[in-house]
Amino acid sequence: MSAPERIPPRSVTTAEQLARGELTVRGQIRDASNAVLHCSVSHDGQEALCVYKPVRGERPLWDFPDGTLAQREVAAYEVSEATGWGLVPPTVLRDGPYGEGMCQLWIEAVPGSELLALVDAEEPGPGWKAIGLAEVDEGRTALLVHADDERLRRLAVLDAVINNADRKGGHLLPAEGGRLYGIDHGVTFNTENKLRTLLWGWAGEPLTGEAVDVLKSLKETLGPSGALARRLAALITAAEVDATRARVDALLDSGKYPEPSGGWPAIPWPPV
């Protein structure tokens, strides 16, 4: 697949609507581990659908401070916007019917875009990258693969920068116009290496020239006086901002896509 052009930063209009509009709860997404509410947001005569995750509905985790997942979701959006790739839907922190929480534009996934597959083979076919073996039936395994897709390649870089501990297949949303979005970024920005993802297909391979340019730009804006550093400082701790800088530096120093560390499960479970 040829590399698409870089996507310019999204207009602030969508973020303003999410932040300032009237939020109305329509229902609840039941299969989520934390409280996830499907809402509409109205502002200046315009209405959009969104997801609202109130802080009070977050389930405590042993390795993340309580009540911080919403801020981490917004921080992931800020980094995504700084890359120019637009991989995370517009996301803001705001007050809502159940208190402060994350509000994110609802993305309607377009069916038919095959990004993951299980194959009865030892090696992936053309256009696919191997993730690893998965047990599909008792005593039978199959090879789990993901598409060799430039959009996923970009997302693998973003996940390495934000230290995403939960990149599952269900968090990948193909959208209209060939866009791809990643969602559910609450478990990110830990100071310890917790990268856990399905996107290992490029592990150890050289970074693309585009990725190197983006990382260099991130390094600059993450500097002590950089705009991204200031935005992140309002959302995550100083130590977590420092760790993000260090991950960008490490990627530039190695010039390669990261590989599993061996000290943490490399693939989330369940993978979808």
Side-chain angles (χ1 to χ4, degrees):
M1 176 178 179
S2 61
E5 294 181 2
R6 287 187 64 192
I7 300 162
R10 180 183 291 271
S11 169
V12 74
T13 303
T14 303
E16 283 182 344
Q17 182 175 2
L18 291 171
R20 301 178 184 178
E22 181 180 356
L23 200 60
T24 302
V25 176
R26 293 187 168 201
Q28 183 175 2
I29 299 174
R30 295 289 183 179
D31 58 353
S33 56
N34 298 301
V36 181
L37 303 176
H38 187 216
C39 302
S40 62
V41 59
S42 300
H43 181 61
D44 281 351
Q46 296 185 336
E47 184 174 271
L49 297 179
C50 61
V51 168
Y52 163 52
K53 298 181 182 180
V55 171
R56 70 172 65 175
E58 294 178 4
R59 178 171 54 88
L61 300 172
W62 68 269
D63 51 349
F64 285 84
D66 293 350
T68 67
L69 304 189
Q71 292 95 322
R72 295 172 193 278
E73 295 243 31
V74 179
Y77 167 68
E78 293 289 356
V79 175
S80 169
E81 288 298 282
T83 66
W85 288 333
L87 294 167
V88 178
T91 312
V92 302
L93 196 66
R94 60 161 292 168
D95 195 29
Y98 299 100
E100 185 178 61
M102 177 277 270
C103 187
Q104 184 177 83
L105 184 68
W106 177 269
I107 301 298
E108 195 67 42
V110 176
S113 180
E114 194 173 11
L115 299 173
L116 297 169
L118 282 168
V119 296
D120 290 317
E122 296 182 356
E123 297 292 336
W128 295 92
K129 289 284 189 177
I131 302 168
L133 293 173
E135 185 173 336
V136 291
D137 293 314
E138 187 173 345
R140 188 173 77 87
T141 60
L143 185 65
L144 182 62
V145 297
H146 67 68
D148 188 3
D149 187 306
E150 188 65 25
R151 300 168 301 174
L152 294 181
R153 187 188 288 265
R154 289 172 168 180
L155 196 56
V157 174
L158 176 66
D159 283 344
V161 171
I162 66 176
N163 198 13
N164 193 348
D166 195 32
R167 174 60 73 205
K168 295 178 179 178
H171 300 167
L172 304 173
L173 301 181
E176 291 183 354
R179 297 287 301 272
L180 178 72
Y181 291 99
I183 60 170
D184 285 350
H185 297 106
V187 286
T188 50
F189 295 100
N190 202 296
T191 55
E192 299 180 8
N193 180 10
K194 290 185 178 292
L195 184 60
R196 190 168 60 168
T197 175
L198 288 177
L199 305 181
W200 289 117
W202 301 281
E205 292 186 10
L207 293 166
T208 64
E210 180 195 45
V212 171
D213 289 343
V214 165
L215 290 167
K216 288 178 178 177
S217 178
L218 285 179
K219 180 181 176 70
E220 182 176 351
T221 195
L222 279 169
S225 60
L228 180 58
R230 293 195 301 271
R231 291 196 291 271
L232 292 183
L235 299 165
I236 58 178
T237 69
E240 289 166 341
V241 175
D242 287 342
T244 304
R245 292 190 188 103
R247 288 191 293 272
V248 171
D249 288 341
L251 286 166
L252 286 170
D253 289 344
S254 72
K256 298 179 180 180
Y257 289 86
E259 299 179 82
S261 67
W264 176 257
I267 298 175
W269 192 264
V272 177

